[in-house]
Amino acid sequence: MNESMDRVLADWLREGPETGPREGLERALAATRRVGQKPGWALPERWIPMQLTMARTPSLRPILAIATVVLLTLALVAAALYIGSQRRPLPAPFGPARNGAVVYSEAGDLFIANQLSGEARALVSGPDTDSYPAFANQGDRVAFVRETDGGFQVMSVNPDGSDLRSLGELPGGLDRMTWSPDGTSLLVSYSDTDYKGLTAAVVNADGSGLKELATGMTTDYATWRPDSNQIVFRGHDLEADTSSAYIVDADGTNLQRLDIPSQGDVDFEGMTWSPDGKHLSFMSAGELSGLTGWQINVADIGADGSVTALHPLRFDPDADEEYYPSWSPDSRQLAFMREKDLRRQVGIANADGTGFRLVGPETVTPYMLGPTWSPDGKTLVITEIPDFEPLRERQRKMWTVNVATGAHDEVQTPVATWQRLAP
Amino acid sequence: MTSELVERAQRGDHEAFDAIASAAYHRLYAIARRILRDGYAAEDAVQDAFVKAWREIRGLRDPGAFDAWLHRLLVNACRDHARRTRRRVIELPELAIDREEPRDDLAQLADRDELERAFLELSVEHRAVLVLTHYVGLPAPEVARVLGVPPGTVASRLHYGARAMRAAIGRERDAAQPVTTAEPGR
């Protein structure tokens, strides 16, 4: 059926003009002559590692400097021995935690950084393309996807760069990847080669294998329910030609449809659990409340997977659209993108729809990543994706926002995933 | 597109940029025309993309990525244009997506008006994936690079874009007929 539509669509798209009006080109060229060029990236940090661009500190006198270095080295060795002898406590897998390092990908390598200072070092580097890093909820392991000539591999590594291992070959291109609550496995969604939708699989974190989540449907937005063995996804039953949200145990049993009305599968996207596992947010295209544009909905989900209440939300009545909801670590607030007259800004509100306020910078850039909470819930990271080359994380513009005050600062360190540490 | 022209444009050579823009114009217009389904809107979108390309070309580190970058600028311009004009149709019958539809030849029989209306119900992101794949002929990894999304997401949008069009055409036909074939509770 979709194959048939693909053919019809391709034929139909080939119809129509192949050329634009000559005067259109002339107008466009004239318009470019009325504007100047922006300078290249002014900050050297955009181009070369930040460590090389940091200001030098005044040097000490040689003997004093050497003595200081020796003492510091001894102190560091002692501290490392002490820390190494202590088993670092792991945080609970959900809820507020202490902020750790951040990991991001750049030019096919992974880097680990201190988000505040910007100091970064390579975590994984080499000829392969490594991307989509994701910290385990316990903060003790980083998963990522390695693209090689032979395909895609799910990989993992310790935050110190040790114990790099392959967890299995991914049968297609990645869509999303999330860790299981207990950190023993990963849930991956990938595309097949025939564009027939997405498939989900559970990958064992010890490298012992990958098992497809057999639901009989395509599985989009597959994501693990916190503190449970359940997975929620948007499924499309290819045989019945129906689509809905479903919840299923990680072993593929107890499949049930979630009673969430949706008017169309394209306009029902981005399901995300609150960290306490009680609420599921998703975006829909307005029909649930008669509004235009994307809106955010929150469904209350019982332990058995039943929908106990559905809340279509419009936090700002004047907004054109609200999208990309992101739960605070304590599950009490949502941060999201709020758009009005093509201007985008982050909104924060209580999950019940009250307490709306705008924070951070306003931007007109078409693409913004959804806001990311720091593990302690005190900071939001906002990322603007410029129209520059994709995949170059350092060319993105980023800000941190103080959740309490709403004040923001531009920062240089990308945040693809943030390490959670025990308080 | 030669990297030499891009590098000259990065140094402020407007003649070089004119050459780049002239070579790309018809291709970009045809893409925008198919995404937006409107000739005037397509002209505006291409102009917006060119203006932005000229303003910001100095920030492009890899001249070899110019084509992908220009495509992204164009899709962004189309997206903004569509949002400004709010052409998106949202008056859809409730839960129509879940009804059983005759599946054999619905797509084959769809006329151009039906295709047009169904296509305009899609988001620009979905339209862009369909146009870049089925019209431009870009492979999924390249579409992913242009749009800045994972390759799996491209596949998902292709699949659901085509399916949503089928559903929209089915709804339109159902709405035109007083008797529906939907089963209660489905």
Side-chain angles (χ1 to χ4, degrees):
Chain A
M1 53 183 170
N2 267 359
E3 291 88 339
S4 171
M5 177 54 80
D6 286 345
R7 282 196 301 275
V8 171
L9 196 52
D11 291 343
W12 175 67
L13 286 171
R14 277 193 285 273
E15 297 174 1
E18 298 284 342
T19 59
R22 182 74 203 172
E23 56 271 27
L25 172 61
E26 290 165 359
R27 276 196 297 271
L29 294 181
T32 64
R33 289 185 182 279
R34 289 195 293 270
V35 298
Q37 285 186 314
K38 277 187 183 177
W41 290 94
L43 296 171
E45 287 85 354
R46 303 281 189 189
W47 300 87
I48 51 181
M50 184 170 296
Q51 298 93 315
L52 302 180
T53 64
M54 293 175 71
R56 285 174 176 271
T57 53
S59 60
L60 301 170
R61 284 183 296 175
I63 294 175
L64 182 59
I66 291 169
T68 304
V69 167
V70 169
L71 286 173
L72 278 175
T73 303
L74 289 172
L76 284 171
V77 168
L81 287 172
Y82 174 76
I83 291 170
S85 67
Q86 308 294 308
R87 183 174 175 82
R88 184 171 64 83
L90 299 176
F94 299 98
R98 190 160 57 87
N99 296 347
V102 298
V103 169
Y104 59 91
S105 63
E106 182 173 294
D109 293 332
L110 300 186
F111 294 83
I112 188 164
N114 180 314
Q115 204 277 328
L116 292 178
S117 70
E119 291 179 63
R121 62 175 170 80
L123 177 61
V124 180
S125 59
D128 297 323
T129 300
D130 298 323
S131 52
Y132 306 112
F135 258 115
N137 295 324
Q138 291 79 2
D140 57 345
R141 198 80 183 153
V142 179
F144 60 96
V145 172
R146 168 165 289 179
E147 186 176 352
T148 64
D149 291 340
F152 301 92
Q153 295 270 334
V154 180
M155 308 284 294
S156 72
V157 67
N158 284 337
D160 63 3
S162 64
D163 195 21
L164 175 69
R165 66 171 77 167
S166 171
L167 306 184
E169 188 170 340
L170 202 58
L174 180 78
D175 181 63
R176 69 157 57 181
M177 177 167 66
T178 57
W179 281 88
S180 65
D182 62 6
T184 61
S185 54
L186 288 136
L187 179 64
V188 293
S189 297
Y190 54 89
S191 62
D192 59 27
T193 53
D194 296 327
Y195 305 144
K196 290 199 175 102
L198 299 178
T199 303
V202 176
V203 181
N204 295 328
D206 62 4
S208 61
L210 173 151
K211 185 180 180 187
E212 188 177 316
L213 188 63
T215 64
M217 292 176 279
T218 65
T219 45
D220 280 18
Y221 303 112
T223 185
W224 229 294
R225 185 175 192 177
D227 279 335
S228 85
N229 196 36
Q230 294 173 317
I231 290 167
V232 71
F233 65 97
R234 183 184 72 179
H236 174 209
D237 186 334
L238 294 169
E239 291 299 317
D241 201 12
T242 59
S243 183
S244 188
Y246 293 86
I247 194 165
V248 66
D249 288 352
D251 61 4
T253 61
N254 294 324
L255 176 71
Q256 58 179 309
R257 178 175 164 167
L258 286 179
D259 186 21
I260 295 176
S262 65
Q263 76 281 17
D265 50 0
V266 166
D267 293 337
F268 174 43
E269 295 194 350
M271 293 186 290
T272 307
W273 285 103
S274 61
D276 63 9
K278 296 177 180 175
H279 312 285
L280 183 69
S281 63
F282 62 97
M283 293 149 42
S284 68
E287 189 156 301
L288 287 175
S289 64
L291 298 170
T292 59
W294 288 108
Q295 73 168 68
I296 295 165
N297 306 271
V298 172
D300 301 341
I301 312 290
D304 61 354
S306 60
V307 178
T308 57
L310 178 64
H311 313 282
L313 298 170
R314 182 55 65 108
F315 300 98
D316 177 5
D318 295 328
D320 293 333
E321 301 191 63
E322 292 170 343
Y323 47 92
Y324 296 159
S326 175
W327 288 92
S328 63
D330 63 5
S331 301
R332 292 178 180 168
Q333 292 183 295
L334 282 165
F336 52 89
M337 296 308 305
R338 173 262 201 191
E339 182 170 320
K340 180 167 178 56
D341 298 332
L342 297 179
R343 305 189 73 81
R344 288 108 190 167
Q345 197 169 3
V346 169
I348 300 178
N350 298 322
D352 63 3
T354 63
F356 166 76
R357 60 195 168 103
L358 291 170
V359 298
E362 187 179 67
T363 176
V364 295
T365 300
Y367 285 110
M368 298 284 292
L369 291 182
T372 301
W373 291 86
S374 63
D376 65 5
K378 295 178 180 175
T379 304
L380 279 171
V381 176
I382 303 168
T383 305
E384 174 187 288
I385 306 175
D387 297 305
F388 287 149
E389 299 153 74
L391 309 179
R392 295 196 187 281
E393 303 271 344
R394 284 265 178 198
Q395 292 188 338
R396 298 177 171 184
K397 201 168 181 180
M398 292 149 290
W399 298 269
T400 55
V401 176
N402 183 315
V403 172
T405 66
H408 65 274
D409 291 305
E410 188 170 347
V411 293
Q412 304 298 323
T413 305
V415 179
T417 180
W418 208 321
Q419 183 183 31
R420 302 172 72 256
L421 298 176
Chain B
M1 194 65 56
T2 69
S3 294
E4 182 193 342
L5 281 175
V6 175
E7 288 166 1
R8 281 173 51 195
Q10 287 180 312
R11 294 194 295 268
D13 183 340
H14 215 302
E15 298 301 321
F17 185 82
D18 283 358
I20 295 170
S22 299
Y25 173 70
H26 294 300
R27 172 169 46 92
L28 296 190
Y29 173 85
I31 294 170
R33 171 74 177 75
R34 280 157 179 80
I35 293 174
L36 295 171
R37 315 304 302 170
D38 182 291
Y40 294 116
E43 280 187 55
D44 287 347
V46 174
Q47 178 171 315
D48 289 349
F50 279 163
V51 168
K52 194 152 194 178
W54 168 249
R55 276 180 60 75
E56 300 185 350
I57 195 169
R58 289 186 183 181
L60 187 69
R61 181 157 54 173
D62 176 11
F66 182 83
D67 273 346
W69 178 55
L70 197 56
H71 279 119
R72 178 182 276 207
L73 290 180
L74 182 72
V75 172
N76 288 351
C78 288
R79 182 177 183 271
D80 272 357
H81 196 281
R83 290 199 169 191
R84 276 197 296 270
T85 52
R86 294 282 169 202
R87 293 190 58 180
R88 190 172 178 184
V89 180
I90 64 157
E91 296 81 11
L92 308 180
E94 187 180 7
L95 296 177
I97 197 78
D98 283 341
R99 67 190 51 168
E100 193 75 31
E101 296 162 354
R103 296 163 39 193
D104 49 357
D105 57 358
L106 181 63
Q108 302 287 3
L109 296 175
D111 66 27
R112 284 165 178 73
D113 287 344
E114 287 176 323
L115 287 167
E116 188 89 21
R117 285 191 291 273
F119 191 74
L120 284 172
E121 286 188 17
L122 301 179
S123 68
V124 168
E125 288 84 354
H126 283 83
R127 289 186 232 166
V129 168
L130 292 172
V131 170
L132 292 174
T133 301
H134 292 308
Y135 174 68
V136 182
L138 295 181
E142 185 64 13
V143 175
R145 186 164 179 253
V146 167
L147 299 178
V149 299
T153 304
V154 171
S156 174
R157 287 181 180 174
L158 272 176
H159 172 75
Y160 282 98
R163 170 168 158 66
M165 286 195 66
R166 286 193 75 259
I169 292 168
R171 280 195 300 269
E172 192 168 287
R173 293 184 175 183
D174 287 347
Q177 296 174 357
V179 178
T180 176
T181 58
E183 297 174 23
R186 286 190 64 89

